[in-house]
Amino acid sequence: MAGNSIGQLFKVSTFGESHGHALGGVVDGVPAGLELNEADLQIDLDRRKPGQSRYTTQRREGDEIKILSGVFEGKTTGTSIGLLIENTDQRSKDYSKIADVFRPGHGDYTYWHKYGHRDYRGGGRSSARETAIRVAAGGIAKKYLRQIHGIEINACLSQLGPIKAELFNWSAVEQNPFFFPDESKLEALDEYMRDLKKSGDSIGAKVMVVAKNVPVGLGEPVFDRLDAELAHSLMSINAVKGVEIGDGFAVVEQKGSEHRDELTPDGFTSNHAGGVLAGISTGQDIVASIALKPTSSITIPGQSINTANESIEMITKGRHDPCVGIRAIPIAEAMMAITLMDHLLRQRGQNPDVNLPHGPIK
Amino acid sequence: MAGNSIGQLFKVSTFGESHGHALGGVVDGVPAGLELNEADLQIDLDRRKPGQSRYTTQRREGDEIKILSGVFEGKTTGTSIGLLIENTDQRSKDYSKIADVFRPGHGDYTYWHKYGHRDYRGGGRSSARETAIRVAAGGIAKKYLRQIHGIEINACLSQLGPIKAELFNWSAVEQNPFFFPDESKLEALDEYMRDLKKSGDSIGAKVMVVAKNVPVGLGEPVFDRLDAELAHSLMSINAVKGVEIGDGFAVVEQKGSEHRDELTPDGFTSNHAGGVLAGISTGQDIVASIALKPTSSITIPGQSINTANESIEMITKGRHDPCVGIRAIPIAEAMMAITLMDHLLRQRGQNPDVNLPHGPIK
Amino acid sequence: MAGNSIGQLFKVSTFGESHGHALGGVVDGVPAGLELNEADLQIDLDRRKPGQSRYTTQRREGDEIKILSGVFEGKTTGTSIGLLIENTDQRSKDYSKIADVFRPGHGDYTYWHKYGHRDYRGGGRSSARETAIRVAAGGIAKKYLRQIHGIEINACLSQLGPIKAELFNWSAVEQNPFFFPDESKLEALDEYMRDLKKSGDSIGAKVMVVAKNVPVGLGEPVFDRLDAELAHSLMSINAVKGVEIGDGFAVVEQKGSEHRDELTPDGFTSNHAGGVLAGISTGQDIVASIALKPTSSITIPGQSINTANESIEMITKGRHDPCVGIRAIPIAEAMMAITLMDHLLRQRGQNPDVNLPHGPIK
Amino acid sequence: MAGNSIGQLFKVSTFGESHGHALGGVVDGVPAGLELNEADLQIDLDRRKPGQSRYTTQRREGDEIKILSGVFEGKTTGTSIGLLIENTDQRSKDYSKIADVFRPGHGDYTYWHKYGHRDYRGGGRSSARETAIRVAAGGIAKKYLRQIHGIEINACLSQLGPIKAELFNWSAVEQNPFFFPDESKLEALDEYMRDLKKSGDSIGAKVMVVAKNVPVGLGEPVFDRLDAELAHSLMSINAVKGVEIGDGFAVVEQKGSEHRDELTPDGFTSNHAGGVLAGISTGQDIVASIALKPTSSITIPGQSINTANESIEMITKGRHDPCVGIRAIPIAEAMMAITLMDHLLRQRGQNPDVNLPHGPIK
């Protein structure tokens, strides 16, 4: 129970279902004095919004964020911030037929068994629609981290099915509908997606998220290591099945002499560790990658059962993304920001000046 | 700060450094009435213990666990359980030379910058030695899960460097010093490790951990999803750089029609999801994998710096495992057990009878 | 930071200022299947609402509660419940004059020093207006506790200034604007309040809150004792300066032979303990009392300072209750309900059948 | 479940029963660099120790504290601190007769019903013996608060049965076995206690605890107000039935014009609030009082029942304090210190320089 909050000093609590009245949440722990308005948060919501390209669902949500509290005369007051997004496009008629069936690969089966009573419209609470509020909450963290500490967080699609980015040109990312950093692959992506859509199938993806200018010292061993908490927050994103820090699973075949990042008076010579050693940030870029599964909402028929345990055949109609990874870009940034923000505040307990290496005791 | 606890209803808090007086902890939230004695916990501690084979460190720790409270007349009382392991083999003289240097790939650099004052002996708190208490605490969870719910948790080494298990024969796992499930590869492993030792280098590994008979319904969306909490607890193990649930990173190249686990009246037809859908257990096996980096404690010289930011050359002497993944087997089981135990208790809040699908309200 | 949540398995997170757009919150941990609608919550909001009698502030807020999520087809789904009350009567012009001054006895001084930037309108977040959402959240807990466990929670005003209730006639409580259980004192109260209003002063009060039919076994020693958590939740109500369980401060002059509640095969012979022994509910009524200070919003001039540390004279104008204790009745019930609900769910971890004395292990 | 931890950034987790092997705990969140040794903690343990005067139990515990981790070369390292006190005087034979009976006024009845299986020796976990570890953990907090922030925390016995302190001479407190601040009443106390002991009865007490030099700004509204968290921590002490902040229950009969603490450019003119306004410290002394019930361990026979629900007569033999309030002095100080320490660290999240009024954003 009570799994709808994340963070300790920077705490985000959310509510809302795909086809309910609204999505919303409470963002607690924003220090006072940060300039903040709705436009700051709308930017990322617009990046996440469906209907942005022909490869994402054509459902049209305004996703207009409202700040209901915690900001006064344009600045945060240190009190909790209420966020709200009203659901304007609810077409719940699309979903009434699936009230008693379990779509394979979705939360229908597990929600029904856990709760016994569920909102079946569009996946209810298990829909990725809830991530809109994460993006808004993460937007607050991103702004604080950037403005007060110069920390920049950016994500991109590093792989879509068989197509991998080989060049990482960050300036390209926001210039294409795939958030892809390798412009030489855009045409291939376009073609791949066109074929995929025709086939009615979906595809997995890999997203990389990087934080720059993170001070050394964030992370609280032994359990609340920065990487462990990032794994938690990134794995909590819908459809994520794997999380890597730095070289991730490639380390399985690496030797110690290859992997260890050597140190010189000018800094580290490499960043296989992804910016985290022994659970604490090194001051290098924090690099994480996540694997997103292909959505199960496809038009290719599949076997399933209904609540009476009878065999049925499923075809998921409606408006769905053939690659949910694309829209996960701002979500991954938001979760990275939420975790870093929480750890920045927690580190101040140990050492109030997080931008200096050493602590308050002289 | 305060990162040395994990879990909410089943809460484990630990202390202890590699070369301090003792390791210990508090295990809170064990229901009353469980038969428990020290021998129950010693089994896994002995599996983790160094010096078990010629491929693990020859440091000899008794690792004798003591239960100091919470058990009366052979049964748990529902009160917190105090655990203690005294450090008997502390040879701290080995480490005095590295007081002012940062071993590359270790926590020396980050601990020094975070805290300003650190116990440099054997890595202090950042040493994997602290996992001994995790194994003991996890042993309590394992016993409860097995005895009350029939849940079995087992881990094995699924890959060591380039050598992958192709057969998963669980009965073989405890019969060889590598905890490897594919007996046909044992000779190759032996040879690989012999060469590795000669070279003074180390190698990464992959560990798979599986829980059987987990009831449907564990996991608390949207942030405390079962997979997100598993990612947290598994990534908190020393040297882990990646976590996968089910097919993990393979999903990046999968299609929806391949990945989705179809349902029939007799159950799921596959388990690509690894036993978790929408953050809630499906009743299938929970399957997770972790990537463990090659230890940086190798005898091949590497560049580093000291606290005065001067260039130095490092060679790590002392007793070290060339593949830390091998000893991670019982640790991975322990962390899986701790997380499942916590979620079992949390799920009782929603539905007191976790072995029945539906809740308490009729 | 992050002090706007309460509870562990039943978790309430709130936001909202006196004169902001709205008050709201997230109620997490309501088991699925509870029948719930807005009217269930409106009852207590109406009991708390200002303008109910001539002795409470004449500010008129609709205080109309909206349930934005977590309820589907009339029943809770086990997912988080979003609550919202829009502020309709904001007259912030009343407050602009006090932007730079600290009203004595209010949070102005401490909020300004803590945050540096504050919403000065009507006390902002420090206004008791935020308790409206507590009352709504508590209403959900009250309904669950009543419906599933037969637990009834009621509060009354047991003392107003010098006038103490001597008879506790619970059926009288909802029949008079003071929520006073002793009808013989109503005339005296009326006269006292009339005089008080004329004088421009305010008065303190004592509120008693009682829970009936609480099962034995709630409370988690040694720190999360039921009485300790009740002390937390009740002391968190605005203006509360003291909390008693059972005989409270009267125990200071009691002897052990007087105080101890003796036991017979038919049950306890008395309830000096107030239903809690060693931090765990006994099955008797849970009895708590709170002391509420007289509001500092009075028309009698007082000395204060402004943000420039200059001496000023303060008179609080506007619409204020001369005795804030009266409106605290439903708030005290709500906080008792929130704490009991959380502990009921936590106790299920130990013993899934909270209505039977013993646990799940046979 | 899991009620054996307190605090968020400064977190104390404890274990241990009255007659078990040992008491111990984990203190997490002590910043690095604090000079600390066992003697620092032994001082308060000796103040709490039984057998100090003829009015406290003659049970003799060495209560020797050991620091097992988290301190290196005389200074804290920022990692978790393990504490241990071995039980040396366990005489459990005294208690075997009461295995199946419920002593009235004790936790026997509630522990048995909650857990079904309990350590009946000397109250097991419900014994006040567990507070020894609180005193040790609080000693760490006290040292940090004093050394780094100049905060001083002191408690005294302000009332014992009918005898109230009228003078508060703090220098007298440590000079008499009652920790009483009014020397003119020492003879009366002595006589009262002599008579009480003869009668075989016990008496309640009131303890006042004061913290000086607390910076303005500690406390996290709306639920984690400083006063609410103090109420939690103080009410969690064995035998406490009431908590007051500042004037406490006296406010019930106060007028607003009396109670409000007026402000001048030189500061507050009074401290009725007890140093907390709107849940945040004002910079004045934090003043709290607690009511401790008379122990139920008396030699005057009382009715009770056994686990078979049969009527029995109880006389509590053994070594018991006729006034448990006396030994609560260092415990009250410890709990105040633990709560202030946690809030000091939490406030650093909002404003890293807790000794300056305003925050980090310019």
Side-chain angles (χ1 to χ4, degrees):
Chain A
M1 312 210 72
N4 294 286
S5 295
I6 193 164
Q8 207 170 343
L9 286 203
F10 181 73
K11 186 183 290 187
V12 177
S13 306
T14 72
F15 67 82
E17 292 93 35
S18 176
H19 288 65
H21 298 297
L23 305 166
V26 182
V27 181
D28 200 2
V30 184
L34 178 73
E35 287 183 15
L36 189 74
N37 60 43
E38 282 141 353
D40 292 322
L41 312 183
Q42 197 63 48
I43 299 166
D44 281 329
L45 280 165
D46 289 348
R47 289 170 71 218
R48 176 200 163 280
K49 212 158 55 173
Q52 295 302 91
S53 83
R54 66 177 177 276
Y55 305 121
T56 56
T57 161
Q58 294 305 305
R59 172 176 169 165
R60 299 215 167 264
E61 288 286 353
D63 276 3
E64 196 189 321
I65 189 75
K66 285 184 196 156
I67 295 175
L68 298 178
S69 70
V71 176
F72 181 65
E73 296 178 345
K75 288 185 181 174
T76 58
T77 59
T79 63
S80 51
I81 296 176
L83 297 177
L84 195 76
I85 296 171
E86 287 177 71
N87 279 335
T88 52
D89 177 19
Q90 303 181 11
R91 297 206 213 163
S92 57
K93 54 183 177 293
D94 293 350
Y95 291 94
S96 57
K97 283 178 225 161
I98 57 165
D100 297 321
V101 301
F102 304 131
R103 294 169 300 160
H106 279 287
D108 302 349
Y109 179 86
T110 52
Y111 268 68
W112 189 79
H113 278 85
K114 184 179 182 73
Y115 300 114
H117 173 63
R118 70 190 174 94
D119 180 350
Y120 50 78
R121 299 168 302 169
R125 182 69 175 149
S126 73
S127 163
R129 176 131 186 77
E130 57 92 352
T131 58
I133 284 295
R134 301 187 186 210
V135 168
I140 301 174
K142 279 170 80 173
K143 182 154 191 197
Y144 186 88
L145 294 171
R146 188 188 313 115
Q147 197 130 314
I148 310 303
H149 293 280
I151 297 170
E152 291 289 345
I153 297 169
N154 289 290
C156 68
L157 193 75
S158 59
Q159 187 174 350
L160 183 150
I163 304 167
K164 285 185 207 187
E166 275 155 55
L167 298 168
F168 281 82
N169 176 9
W170 284 98
S171 64
V173 170
E174 302 291 323
Q175 309 302 321
N176 67 75
F178 302 104
F179 299 95
F180 209 73
D182 183 347
E183 289 154 304
S184 72
K185 304 283 177 81
L186 291 179
E187 209 167 322
L189 281 169
D190 209 60
E191 195 174 348
Y192 187 88
M193 289 297 281
R194 219 179 313 130
D195 291 350
L196 187 72
K197 250 196 142 173
K198 254 181 254 167
S199 73
D201 216 335
S202 63
I203 190 69
K206 191 168 177 176
V207 167
M208 188 170 78
V209 54
V210 176
K212 293 189 172 302
N213 300 326
V214 175
V216 61
L218 306 196
E220 304 299 334
V222 295
F223 295 114
D224 294 351
R225 284 166 142 89
L226 183 58
D227 39 4
E229 298 252 64
L230 282 171
H232 184 151
S233 73
L234 292 170
M235 189 72 94
S236 80
I237 299 172
N238 305 50
V240 174
K241 301 303 289 181
V243 178
E244 296 182 317
I245 304 295
D247 287 356
F249 278 88
V251 303
V252 173
E253 305 199 19
Q254 287 174 353
K255 296 220 168 136
S257 54
E258 260 174 283
H259 178 81
R260 63 175 168 185
D261 301 309
E262 295 183 281
L263 275 157
T264 73
D266 299 325
F268 290 94
T269 61
S270 55
N271 188 13
H272 296 287
V276 185
L277 277 176
I280 299 169
S281 63
T282 61
Q284 293 178 282
D285 289 358
I286 309 286
V287 182
S289 286
I290 53 178
L292 291 112
K293 70 175 184 183
T295 178
S296 306
S297 298
I298 55 179
T299 57
I300 297 169
Q303 301 179 66
S304 194
I305 55 171
N306 60 19
T307 55
N309 205 36
E310 295 161 339
S311 195
I312 55 160
E313 198 186 75
M314 289 292 305
I315 296 174
T316 306
K317 289 181 186 164
R319 303 149 297 178
H320 297 286
D321 292 324
C323 178
V324 295
I326 300 172
R327 286 178 54 206
I329 306 303
I331 309 169
E333 291 173 6
M335 296 314 295
M336 170 76 90
I338 286 169
T339 299
L340 287 179
M341 180 77 181
D342 190 37
H343 276 276
L344 185 85
L345 300 183
R346 287 177 75 176
Q347 168 60 357
R348 286 186 186 165
Q350 158 61 26
N351 177 350
D353 189 346
V354 296
N355 283 331
L356 284 184
H358 285 196
I361 303 172
K362 277 106 196 172
Chain B
M1 313 211 71
N4 293 285
S5 296
I6 192 163
Q8 207 170 343
L9 286 202
F10 181 73
K11 185 183 290 185
V12 177
S13 306
T14 72
F15 67 82
E17 292 94 34
S18 177
H19 288 65
H21 299 296
L23 305 167
V26 183
V27 181
D28 200 0
V30 184
L34 179 72
E35 287 184 16
L36 189 73
N37 60 44
E38 283 142 350
D40 291 323
L41 312 183
Q42 197 62 49
I43 299 166
D44 280 330
L45 281 164
D46 289 347
R47 289 170 73 217
R48 177 200 162 281
K49 211 155 60 171
Q52 294 304 89
S53 83
R54 65 178 178 276
Y55 304 121
T56 56
T57 161
Q58 295 304 305
R59 172 174 168 167
R60 298 214 167 265
E61 287 287 354
D63 275 4
E64 196 188 322
I65 188 74
K66 283 184 196 158
I67 295 176
L68 298 178
S69 70
V71 176
F72 181 63
E73 297 178 343
K75 287 185 180 173
T76 57
T77 60
T79 63
S80 51
I81 295 176
L83 296 177
L84 195 77
I85 295 172
E86 288 177 70
N87 279 334
T88 52
D89 177 19
Q90 303 181 11
R91 298 206 211 166
S92 57
K93 54 183 178 293
D94 293 350
Y95 291 94
S96 57
K97 283 179 223 161
I98 57 166
D100 297 322
V101 301
F102 304 131
R103 295 169 300 159
H106 279 287
D108 302 349
Y109 180 87
T110 51
Y111 268 70
W112 189 79
H113 278 86
K114 183 177 183 74
Y115 300 113
H117 173 64
R118 70 190 173 96
D119 180 351
Y120 50 76
R121 298 167 305 168
R125 182 69 176 151
S126 74
S127 164
R129 177 133 184 75
E130 58 91 351
T131 59
I133 284 295
R134 302 186 186 211
V135 168
I140 301 174
K142 279 170 80 174
K143 181 154 191 196
Y144 186 88
L145 294 171
R146 189 189 311 117
Q147 197 130 314
I148 311 303
H149 293 280
I151 298 170
E152 291 290 343
I153 298 169
N154 289 290
C156 68
L157 193 75
S158 59
Q159 187 175 349
L160 183 152
I163 305 168
K164 285 184 205 185
E166 275 156 54
L167 299 166
F168 281 83
N169 175 11
W170 284 98
S171 64
V173 170
E174 302 290 323
Q175 308 303 321
N176 68 74
F178 301 105
F179 300 96
F180 209 73
D182 183 348
E183 289 155 304
S184 72
K185 304 284 177 78
L186 292 179
E187 209 167 321
L189 282 169
D190 209 63
E191 195 175 348
Y192 187 88
M193 289 298 281
R194 219 179 313 131
D195 291 352
L196 188 72
K197 251 196 141 173
K198 253 181 255 166
S199 73
D201 215 334
S202 62
I203 189 70
K206 190 169 178 175
V207 167
M208 186 170 79
V209 54
V210 177
K212 292 188 173 302
N213 300 327
V214 175
V216 61
L218 306 196
E220 304 298 335
V222 295
F223 296 115
D224 294 352
R225 285 165 141 89
L226 184 58
D227 40 4
E229 298 252 66
L230 282 172
H232 184 151
S233 72
L234 292 170
M235 190 71 96
S236 80
I237 299 172
N238 306 50
V240 173
K241 301 303 289 181
V243 177
E244 295 182 317
I245 305 294
D247 287 357
F249 279 88
V251 303
V252 173
E253 304 199 20
Q254 288 174 353
K255 297 221 168 135
S257 54
E258 260 175 282
H259 177 83
R260 64 174 168 184
D261 301 308
E262 293 182 282
L263 274 158
T264 73
D266 299 325
F268 289 94
T269 61
S270 56
N271 187 14
H272 296 288
V276 186
L277 277 176
I280 298 170
S281 62
T282 62
Q284 294 177 281
D285 289 358
I286 308 287
V287 182
S289 286
I290 53 179
L292 291 113
K293 70 177 185 183
T295 179
S296 305
S297 297
I298 54 178
T299 57
I300 298 168
Q303 298 180 67
S304 194
I305 54 171
N306 60 20
T307 55
N309 204 33
E310 296 161 339
S311 195
I312 56 161
E313 196 185 77
M314 289 292 305
I315 297 175
T316 307
K317 289 180 187 165
R319 304 151 298 180
H320 296 287
D321 292 323
C323 177
V324 295
I326 299 173
R327 285 178 56 206
I329 305 302
I331 308 169
E333 291 173 5
M335 295 315 293
M336 170 75 89
I338 286 169
T339 299
L340 287 180
M341 180 78 181
D342 190 36
H343 276 275
L344 184 86
L345 300 182
R346 288 177 74 177
Q347 167 60 357
R348 286 186 186 164
Q350 158 60 25
N351 177 351
D353 190 346
V354 296
N355 284 332
L356 285 185
H358 284 194
I361 303 172
K362 274 107 198 173
Chain C
M1 313 210 71
N4 294 286
S5 295
I6 193 163
Q8 207 171 341
L9 286 203
F10 181 73
K11 186 183 289 186
V12 176
S13 306
T14 73
F15 68 81
E17 293 94 33
S18 177
H19 288 64
H21 299 296
L23 305 167
V26 183
V27 181
D28 199 1
V30 185
L34 179 73
E35 287 183 14
L36 189 73
N37 60 42
E38 283 142 351
D40 291 323
L41 311 183
Q42 198 61 47
I43 298 166
D44 281 329
L45 281 164
D46 289 347
R47 289 169 72 216
R48 178 200 163 281
K49 210 156 59 172
Q52 294 304 88
S53 82
R54 64 179 179 275
Y55 304 120
T56 55
T57 162
Q58 294 304 304
R59 172 173 170 168
R60 298 214 167 263
E61 287 287 352
D63 276 2
E64 198 188 321
I65 188 74
K66 284 184 197 156
I67 295 175
L68 298 178
S69 70
V71 176
F72 180 64
E73 296 178 345
K75 287 184 181 175
T76 57
T77 60
T79 62
S80 51
I81 296 176
L83 297 176
L84 195 77
I85 296 171
E86 287 176 70
N87 279 333
T88 52
D89 177 19
Q90 303 181 12
R91 298 204 210 167
S92 58
K93 54 184 177 292
D94 294 349
Y95 292 95
S96 57
K97 284 179 224 161
I98 57 166
D100 297 323
V101 301
F102 304 131
R103 295 169 302 158
H106 280 287
D108 301 350
Y109 180 86
T110 51
Y111 268 69
W112 188 80
H113 277 85
K114 183 178 183 73
Y115 300 113
H117 173 63
R118 71 191 172 93
D119 180 350
Y120 51 77
R121 300 166 304 167
R125 183 71 175 149
S126 74
S127 163
R129 176 131 187 77
E130 57 92 351
T131 59
I133 284 295
R134 302 186 187 211
V135 167
I140 300 174
K142 279 170 81 172
K143 182 153 190 196
Y144 186 86
L145 293 172
R146 188 188 311 117
Q147 197 131 312
I148 310 303
H149 292 281
I151 298 170
E152 291 289 343
I153 298 170
N154 289 289
C156 68
L157 194 74
S158 59
Q159 187 175 349
L160 182 152
I163 305 170
K164 285 184 206 187
E166 277 157 52
L167 298 167
F168 280 83
N169 176 9
W170 284 98
S171 63
V173 169
E174 301 291 323
Q175 308 303 319
N176 67 75
F178 301 105
F179 298 95
F180 209 72
D182 183 348
E183 288 155 303
S184 73
K185 304 283 178 78
L186 292 179
E187 209 168 320
L189 282 168
D190 209 61
E191 197 174 344
Y192 187 89
M193 290 296 283
R194 220 179 312 131
D195 291 352
L196 187 73
K197 253 200 139 171
K198 255 181 252 166
S199 73
D201 215 334
S202 63
I203 189 69
K206 190 169 178 176
V207 166
M208 188 169 80
V209 54
V210 177
K212 292 188 173 305
N213 301 326
V214 175
V216 61
L218 306 195
E220 304 299 335
V222 297
F223 295 116
D224 293 352
R225 286 167 141 88
L226 184 58
D227 40 5
E229 297 252 67
L230 282 171
H232 185 151
S233 72
L234 293 169
M235 191 71 95
S236 80
I237 300 172
N238 306 51
V240 173
K241 301 302 289 183
V243 177
E244 296 183 317
I245 304 295
D247 287 357
F249 279 88
V251 302
V252 173
E253 304 199 19
Q254 287 175 352
K255 296 216 166 139
S257 53
E258 259 175 284
H259 177 82
R260 63 174 168 185
D261 300 309
E262 294 182 282
L263 274 158
T264 72
D266 299 326
F268 289 94
T269 61
S270 56
N271 188 12
H272 295 288
V276 185
L277 278 176
I280 299 169
S281 63
T282 62
Q284 295 177 281
D285 289 358
I286 309 285
V287 182
S289 286
I290 53 178
L292 291 114
K293 71 176 184 182
T295 178
S296 305
S297 298
I298 55 179
T299 57
I300 298 168
Q303 299 180 67
S304 195
I305 56 172
N306 60 21
T307 55
N309 204 35
E310 296 160 338
S311 196
I312 54 159
E313 197 186 75
M314 289 293 304
I315 297 175
T316 307
K317 288 180 187 165
R319 303 150 297 178
H320 296 287
D321 292 322
C323 177
V324 294
I326 299 172
R327 285 178 54 206
I329 305 303
I331 308 169
E333 291 173 5
M335 296 314 294
M336 169 75 90
I338 287 169
T339 299
L340 287 179
M341 181 77 181
D342 190 37
H343 276 276
L344 185 86
L345 300 182
R346 288 177 73 176
Q347 168 60 358
R348 285 185 186 164
Q350 158 61 26
N351 177 351
D353 189 347
V354 296
N355 284 331
L356 284 185
H358 286 194
I361 303 171
K362 276 107 199 173
Chain D
M1 312 211 72
N4 293 286
S5 295
I6 193 164
Q8 207 171 343
L9 286 203
F10 181 73
K11 185 183 291 187
V12 177
S13 305
T14 73
F15 68 82
E17 293 94 35
S18 176
H19 289 64
H21 298 297
L23 305 167
V26 182
V27 181
D28 199 1
V30 184
L34 179 72
E35 288 184 14
L36 188 73
N37 60 44
E38 283 143 351
D40 291 324
L41 311 183
Q42 197 63 48
I43 299 166
D44 280 330
L45 280 165
D46 289 346
R47 288 170 72 217
R48 177 202 163 278
K49 209 156 60 171
Q52 294 304 89
S53 83
R54 65 178 179 277
Y55 305 120
T56 56
T57 162
Q58 294 304 303
R59 173 176 169 166
R60 298 213 166 267
E61 289 286 353
D63 275 3
E64 197 188 323
I65 188 75
K66 284 184 196 155
I67 295 175
L68 298 178
S69 70
V71 176
F72 181 64
E73 296 178 345
K75 287 185 181 173
T76 58
T77 60
T79 62
S80 51
I81 296 176
L83 296 177
L84 194 77
I85 296 172
E86 288 178 69
N87 279 334
T88 52
D89 177 19
Q90 302 181 12
R91 298 204 211 167
S92 58
K93 55 182 176 292
D94 293 349
Y95 292 93
S96 57
K97 284 178 224 163
I98 58 166
D100 296 322
V101 301
F102 303 132
R103 294 169 302 158
H106 279 287
D108 302 349
Y109 180 86
T110 51
Y111 268 69
W112 189 79
H113 277 85
K114 184 178 182 74
Y115 299 113
H117 173 63
R118 72 191 171 93
D119 180 350
Y120 51 78
R121 298 168 304 167
R125 182 70 174 149
S126 74
S127 163
R129 176 132 186 76
E130 58 91 352
T131 58
I133 285 294
R134 302 186 186 210
V135 167
I140 301 173
K142 280 170 80 172
K143 183 155 190 196
Y144 186 88
L145 294 171
R146 188 188 310 117
Q147 198 131 313
I148 310 304
H149 292 280
I151 298 170
E152 292 288 344
I153 298 170
N154 289 289
C156 67
L157 193 75
S158 59
Q159 187 175 350
L160 183 151
I163 304 168
K164 285 184 207 187
E166 275 156 54
L167 299 166
F168 281 83
N169 176 11
W170 283 99
S171 63
V173 169
E174 301 290 324
Q175 308 302 320
N176 67 74
F178 301 105
F179 299 95
F180 209 73
D182 183 348
E183 290 155 303
S184 72
K185 303 286 178 78
L186 292 179
E187 208 168 322
L189 282 169
D190 208 62
E191 196 175 347
Y192 186 89
M193 289 297 281
R194 220 179 312 130
D195 291 351
L196 187 72
K197 249 197 144 174
K198 255 181 251 166
S199 73
D201 216 335
S202 63
I203 189 70
K206 191 169 179 175
V207 166
M208 187 169 81
V209 53
V210 177
K212 292 187 173 302
N213 301 326
V214 175
V216 63
L218 307 196
E220 303 299 335
V222 296
F223 295 115
D224 294 352
R225 286 166 141 89
L226 184 58
D227 39 5
E229 297 252 66
L230 282 172
H232 185 151
S233 73
L234 293 170
M235 190 71 95
S236 80
I237 300 173
N238 305 51
V240 174
K241 301 302 291 182
V243 177
E244 297 182 317
I245 304 296
D247 287 357
F249 279 87
V251 302
V252 174
E253 304 198 20
Q254 288 174 353
K255 297 220 167 135
S257 54
E258 259 174 284
H259 178 82
R260 63 174 168 184
D261 300 309
E262 293 182 281
L263 274 158
T264 73
D266 300 325
F268 289 94
T269 62
S270 54
N271 188 13
H272 296 287
V276 185
L277 277 176
I280 299 169
S281 63
T282 61
Q284 294 177 282
D285 291 356
I286 309 286
V287 182
S289 287
I290 53 177
L292 291 113
K293 71 175 183 182
T295 178
S296 305
S297 297
I298 55 178
T299 57
I300 298 169
Q303 299 179 67
S304 194
I305 55 171
N306 60 20
T307 54
N309 206 35
E310 295 160 337
S311 194
I312 54 159
E313 198 186 76
M314 290 292 305
I315 297 175
T316 307
K317 289 180 187 165
R319 302 150 301 180
H320 295 287
D321 292 323
C323 178
V324 295
I326 299 173
R327 286 177 54 205
I329 304 303
I331 308 169
E333 291 173 6
M335 296 313 296
M336 169 75 90
I338 287 169
T339 299
L340 287 179
M341 180 76 181
D342 190 37
H343 276 276
L344 185 86
L345 300 183
R346 288 177 73 176
Q347 167 61 357
R348 286 186 186 163
Q350 157 62 25
N351 177 350
D353 190 347
V354 296
N355 284 331
L356 284 184
H358 284 195
I361 303 170
K362 274 109 199 171

